[in-house]
Amino acid sequence: RGSRLMPGRCVVVMAKRPREGAVKTRLGADLGEEAACRLYEAFLFDTLDACAAADATTMVAFTPVTEAAWFRHFAPGLLLSAQPEGSFGERLRAAMQAAFGAGFSTVAVIGSDVPHLRSATIDAGLDIAARGAAALAPTADGGYCLLALGAPRPELFEDIDWSSGRELAQTIQRIRDSELDFEMLTETFDVDTFSDLRRLARAIAEGEATCRRTADTLRLLDLELLELEPVP
Protein backbone atom coordinates (compact mmCIF):
# COMPACT_ATOMS: atom_id res chain seq x y z
CA ARG A 1 0.00 0.00 0.00
CA GLY A 2 1.45 3.33 -1.03
CA SER A 3 0.24 6.87 -1.41
CA ARG A 4 0.62 9.18 -4.37
CA LEU A 5 2.70 12.10 -3.26
CA MET A 6 1.21 15.57 -3.59
CA PRO A 7 3.75 18.17 -2.47
CA GLY A 8 2.61 20.08 0.55
CA ARG A 9 -0.47 17.96 1.31
CA CYS A 10 -0.71 15.34 4.06
CA VAL A 11 -3.53 13.24 5.49
CA VAL A 12 -2.89 11.91 8.99
CA VAL A 13 -4.75 8.81 10.17
CA MET A 14 -5.31 8.38 13.90
CA ALA A 15 -4.80 4.63 14.42
CA LYS A 16 -4.57 2.04 17.15
CA ARG A 17 -2.86 -1.32 16.92
CA PRO A 18 -5.76 -3.77 16.48
CA ARG A 19 -5.88 -5.88 19.64
CA GLU A 20 -8.79 -7.77 21.11
CA GLY A 21 -10.36 -5.82 23.94
CA ALA A 22 -8.44 -2.64 23.09
CA VAL A 23 -10.38 -1.44 20.03
CA LYS A 24 -14.08 -1.00 19.28
CA THR A 25 -15.14 -2.07 22.76
CA ARG A 26 -18.78 -1.09 22.23
CA LEU A 27 -18.92 -3.29 19.14
CA GLY A 28 -17.13 -5.99 21.10
CA ALA A 29 -19.91 -6.01 23.69
CA ASP A 30 -22.35 -7.11 20.96
CA LEU A 31 -20.17 -9.04 18.53
CA GLY A 32 -17.38 -10.33 20.75
CA GLU A 33 -13.87 -8.95 21.06
CA GLU A 34 -12.39 -11.04 18.25
CA ALA A 35 -15.00 -9.92 15.72
CA ALA A 36 -14.66 -6.29 16.80
CA CYS A 37 -10.89 -6.47 16.41
CA ARG A 38 -11.16 -8.03 12.96
CA LEU A 39 -13.57 -5.31 11.92
CA TYR A 40 -11.32 -2.54 13.22
CA GLU A 41 -8.36 -3.93 11.28
CA ALA A 42 -10.57 -3.94 8.18
CA PHE A 43 -11.59 -0.35 8.90
CA LEU A 44 -7.93 0.58 9.06
CA PHE A 45 -7.13 -1.15 5.75
CA ASP A 46 -10.00 0.66 4.02
CA THR A 47 -9.06 4.01 5.53
CA LEU A 48 -5.49 3.69 4.27
CA ASP A 49 -6.79 2.67 0.83
CA ALA A 50 -8.88 5.85 0.72
CA CYS A 51 -5.83 7.87 1.72
CA ALA A 52 -3.74 6.20 -0.97
CA ALA A 53 -6.28 7.31 -3.58
CA ALA A 54 -6.20 10.92 -2.35
CA ASP A 55 -3.81 13.55 -3.67
CA ALA A 56 -1.77 13.65 -0.49
CA THR A 57 1.00 11.93 1.42
CA THR A 58 -0.27 9.61 4.16
CA MET A 59 1.01 9.69 7.73
CA VAL A 60 -0.18 7.25 10.40
CA ALA A 61 -0.31 8.63 13.94
CA PHE A 62 -0.25 5.39 15.90
CA THR A 63 -0.72 4.15 19.42
CA PRO A 64 0.60 2.53 21.57
CA VAL A 65 4.07 3.98 21.10
CA THR A 66 5.58 0.50 21.41
CA GLU A 67 3.95 -0.63 18.14
CA ALA A 68 6.15 1.17 15.62
CA ALA A 69 7.45 -2.11 14.18
CA TRP A 70 3.93 -3.47 13.72
CA PHE A 71 2.81 -0.33 11.89
CA ARG A 72 5.92 -0.33 9.70
CA HIS A 73 4.88 -3.82 8.59
CA PHE A 74 1.16 -2.97 8.33
CA ALA A 75 1.67 0.32 6.47
CA PRO A 76 4.97 -0.04 4.58
CA GLY A 77 6.28 3.10 2.97
CA LEU A 78 4.02 5.46 4.89
CA LEU A 79 5.15 8.14 7.30
CA LEU A 80 4.67 7.22 10.96
CA SER A 81 4.28 9.34 14.08
CA ALA A 82 3.69 7.97 17.58
CA GLN A 83 0.76 9.46 19.47
CA PRO A 84 1.83 10.92 22.82
CA GLU A 85 0.14 10.20 26.12
CA GLY A 86 -2.65 12.59 26.98
CA SER A 87 -6.19 13.51 26.07
CA PHE A 88 -7.60 12.89 22.61
CA GLY A 89 -7.28 16.60 21.92
CA GLU A 90 -3.60 16.54 22.85
CA ARG A 91 -3.06 13.56 20.56
CA LEU A 92 -4.89 15.24 17.68
CA ARG A 93 -2.86 18.40 18.15
CA ALA A 94 0.38 16.38 18.18
CA ALA A 95 -0.63 14.52 15.00
CA MET A 96 -1.30 17.78 13.20
CA GLN A 97 1.97 19.24 14.48
CA ALA A 98 3.92 16.16 13.34
CA ALA A 99 2.71 16.70 9.78
CA PHE A 100 3.29 20.46 9.77
CA GLY A 101 6.67 19.85 11.41
CA ALA A 102 7.57 17.47 8.57
CA GLY A 103 7.17 20.35 6.15
CA PHE A 104 3.63 19.93 4.87
CA SER A 105 1.64 23.12 4.34
CA THR A 106 -1.87 21.61 4.26
CA VAL A 107 -2.89 18.85 6.66
CA ALA A 108 -6.04 16.81 7.22
CA VAL A 109 -6.43 14.56 10.24
CA ILE A 110 -8.96 11.73 10.08
CA GLY A 111 -10.14 8.87 12.26
CA SER A 112 -9.88 5.19 11.46
CA ASP A 113 -13.48 4.27 12.26
CA VAL A 114 -15.04 5.69 9.08
CA PRO A 115 -14.01 3.02 6.55
CA HIS A 116 -16.52 4.43 4.05
CA LEU A 117 -14.81 7.85 3.98
CA ARG A 118 -14.08 8.66 0.34
CA SER A 119 -10.81 9.92 -1.03
CA ALA A 120 -12.78 12.73 -2.70
CA THR A 121 -13.81 13.96 0.77
CA ILE A 122 -10.18 14.01 1.90
CA ASP A 123 -9.19 15.95 -1.23
CA ALA A 124 -12.09 18.39 -0.76
CA GLY A 125 -11.00 19.08 2.81
CA LEU A 126 -7.41 19.68 1.77
CA ASP A 127 -8.54 21.97 -1.07
CA ILE A 128 -10.50 24.08 1.41
CA ALA A 129 -7.52 24.23 3.78
CA ALA A 130 -5.25 25.28 0.91
CA ARG A 131 -7.51 28.32 0.44
CA GLY A 132 -6.85 29.33 4.06
CA ALA A 133 -10.03 28.05 5.70
CA ALA A 134 -10.68 25.13 8.00
CA ALA A 135 -12.64 22.11 6.72
CA LEU A 136 -14.75 19.82 8.90
CA ALA A 137 -16.54 16.58 8.04
CA PRO A 138 -19.24 16.20 10.72
CA THR A 139 -20.50 12.89 12.04
CA ALA A 140 -24.02 12.03 13.10
CA ASP A 141 -23.03 11.68 16.77
CA GLY A 142 -22.05 15.34 17.12
CA GLY A 143 -18.35 14.89 16.42
CA TYR A 144 -16.25 15.06 13.29
CA CYS A 145 -14.15 12.58 11.33
CA LEU A 146 -11.98 15.03 9.38
CA LEU A 147 -10.39 18.37 10.15
CA ALA A 148 -8.17 20.05 7.57
CA LEU A 149 -6.06 23.14 8.16
CA GLY A 150 -3.53 25.24 6.31
CA ALA A 151 -1.52 26.12 9.42
CA PRO A 152 -1.13 24.80 12.98
CA ARG A 153 -4.08 25.84 15.16
CA PRO A 154 -3.47 24.22 18.56
CA GLU A 155 -6.27 26.25 20.14
CA LEU A 156 -8.85 24.24 18.18
CA PHE A 157 -8.17 21.21 20.38
CA GLU A 158 -8.37 22.97 23.74
CA ASP A 159 -11.35 22.78 26.13
CA ILE A 160 -13.25 20.26 24.00
CA ASP A 161 -15.50 17.69 25.67
CA TRP A 162 -14.37 14.67 23.68
CA SER A 163 -16.83 11.76 23.23
CA SER A 164 -19.66 13.95 24.45
CA GLY A 165 -21.55 14.70 21.25
CA ARG A 166 -20.53 18.36 21.61
CA GLU A 167 -17.15 18.15 19.89
CA LEU A 168 -18.29 19.56 16.55
CA ALA A 169 -20.16 22.55 18.01
CA GLN A 170 -17.32 23.33 20.40
CA THR A 171 -14.70 23.07 17.64
CA ILE A 172 -16.74 25.40 15.42
CA GLN A 173 -16.82 27.88 18.29
CA ARG A 174 -13.04 27.62 18.67
CA ILE A 175 -12.68 28.25 14.92
CA ARG A 176 -14.90 31.32 15.16
CA ASP A 177 -12.99 32.54 18.21
CA SER A 178 -9.83 32.30 16.10
CA GLU A 179 -11.49 34.37 13.35
CA LEU A 180 -10.83 31.54 10.90
CA ASP A 181 -13.18 30.85 8.00
CA PHE A 182 -14.48 27.28 7.74
CA GLU A 183 -16.49 25.06 5.43
CA MET A 184 -18.49 21.96 6.24
CA LEU A 185 -18.21 18.78 4.22
CA THR A 186 -20.99 16.21 3.87
CA GLU A 187 -22.05 14.62 7.14
CA THR A 188 -21.29 10.94 7.66
CA PHE A 189 -21.08 8.60 10.67
CA ASP A 190 -18.47 6.86 12.79
CA VAL A 191 -18.79 3.11 13.28
CA ASP A 192 -18.73 2.79 17.05
CA THR A 193 -21.89 0.86 17.91
CA PHE A 194 -23.88 -2.10 16.70
CA SER A 195 -26.42 0.31 15.21
CA ASP A 196 -23.64 2.11 13.30
CA LEU A 197 -22.37 -1.20 11.96
CA ARG A 198 -25.83 -2.13 10.76
CA ARG A 199 -26.09 1.25 9.02
CA LEU A 200 -22.73 0.65 7.32
CA ALA A 201 -23.70 -2.86 6.26
CA ARG A 202 -26.89 -1.49 4.75
CA ALA A 203 -24.94 1.19 2.88
CA ILE A 204 -22.57 -1.46 1.52
CA ALA A 205 -25.47 -3.71 0.49
CA GLU A 206 -27.15 -0.83 -1.33
CA GLY A 207 -23.95 0.25 -3.05
CA GLU A 208 -23.76 3.57 -1.21
CA ALA A 209 -20.47 2.74 0.55
CA THR A 210 -17.35 1.20 -0.90
CA CYS A 211 -15.00 -0.30 1.66
CA ARG A 212 -13.82 -3.61 0.29
CA ARG A 213 -11.98 -5.03 3.26
CA THR A 214 -14.82 -4.18 5.65
CA ALA A 215 -17.37 -5.70 3.28
CA ASP A 216 -15.30 -8.89 3.05
CA THR A 217 -15.00 -9.09 6.83
CA LEU A 218 -18.74 -8.55 7.31
CA ARG A 219 -19.41 -11.43 4.93
CA LEU A 220 -17.28 -13.67 7.13
CA LEU A 221 -19.28 -12.70 10.21
CA ASP A 222 -22.84 -13.69 11.02
CA LEU A 223 -24.85 -11.28 8.90
CA GLU A 224 -28.05 -12.46 10.55
CA LEU A 225 -26.97 -10.33 13.49
CA LEU A 226 -27.29 -7.30 11.23
CA GLU A 227 -30.82 -8.23 10.20
CA LEU A 228 -29.94 -7.83 6.55
CA GLU A 229 -31.16 -9.72 3.52
CA PRO A 230 -28.38 -11.30 1.43
CA VAL A 231 -27.17 -9.13 -1.43
CA PRO A 232 -28.13 -10.72 -4.80
Side-chain angles (χ1 to χ4, degrees):
R1 182 185 290 102
S3 180
R4 289 184 294 162
L5 300 182
M6 184 75 171
R9 294 161 62 108
C10 183
V11 54
V12 185
V13 181
M14 303 294 288
K16 293 181 180 180
R17 163 77 189 270
R19 287 192 181 280
E20 291 183 26
V23 294
K24 292 295 148 201
T25 53
R26 282 185 281 176
L27 277 179
D30 288 308
L31 299 177
E33 292 179 353
E34 180 186 2
C37 184
R38 287 170 60 191
L39 279 167
Y40 177 73
E41 184 167 332
F43 294 173
L44 193 49
F45 264 108
D46 286 328
T47 299
L48 292 180
D49 281 347
C51 292
D55 288 326
T57 298
T58 303
M59 176 184 287
V60 178
F62 66 90
T63 187
V65 297
T66 53
E67 297 292 355
W70 187 89
F71 276 96
R72 277 195 294 269
H73 175 76
F74 184 81
L78 301 187
L79 299 177
L80 297 179
S81 175
Q83 294 183 31
E85 297 295 324
S87 70
F88 187 60
E90 289 167 337
R91 289 183 280 127
L92 277 176
R93 182 177 60 209
M96 275 274 186
Q97 187 55 54
F100 283 119
F104 295 99
S105 58
T106 309
V107 178
V109 61
I110 66 174
S112 51
D113 48 8
V114 189
H116 49 293
L117 186 68
R118 299 176 184 273
S119 59
T121 302
I122 298 170
D123 283 331
L126 287 166
D127 289 344
I128 291 166
R131 297 196 293 269
L136 283 163
T139 50
D141 60 1
Y144 61 85
C145 65
L146 178 150
L147 172 63
L149 297 169
R153 293 280 185 167
E155 68 274 17
L156 302 188
F157 307 106
E158 296 173 357
D159 299 321
I160 303 293
D161 298 320
W162 302 105
S163 302
S164 68
R166 298 187 295 273
E167 303 95 309
L168 178 65
Q170 291 175 342
T171 300
I172 289 172
Q173 187 58 52
R174 299 289 172 277
I175 291 171
R176 287 174 170 153
D177 291 344
S178 299
E179 299 183 344
L180 181 64
D181 291 333
F182 71 95
E183 295 184 37
M184 303 293 283
L185 300 167
T186 303
E187 182 180 284
T188 185
F189 60 97
D190 294 320
V191 185
D192 289 322
T193 67
F194 186 73
S195 176
D196 298 332
L197 184 64
R198 192 157 57 195
R199 180 177 176 180
L200 178 61
R202 176 68 67 188
I204 292 170
E206 295 178 353
E208 297 175 358
T210 303
C211 36
R212 181 183 57 80
R213 185 64 174 258
T214 300
D216 289 346
T217 302
L218 282 172
R219 279 193 288 269
L220 294 174
L221 299 174
D222 185 358
L223 285 181
E224 291 181 3
L225 288 172
L226 301 173
E227 300 175 7
L228 290 174
E229 296 298 325
V231 181

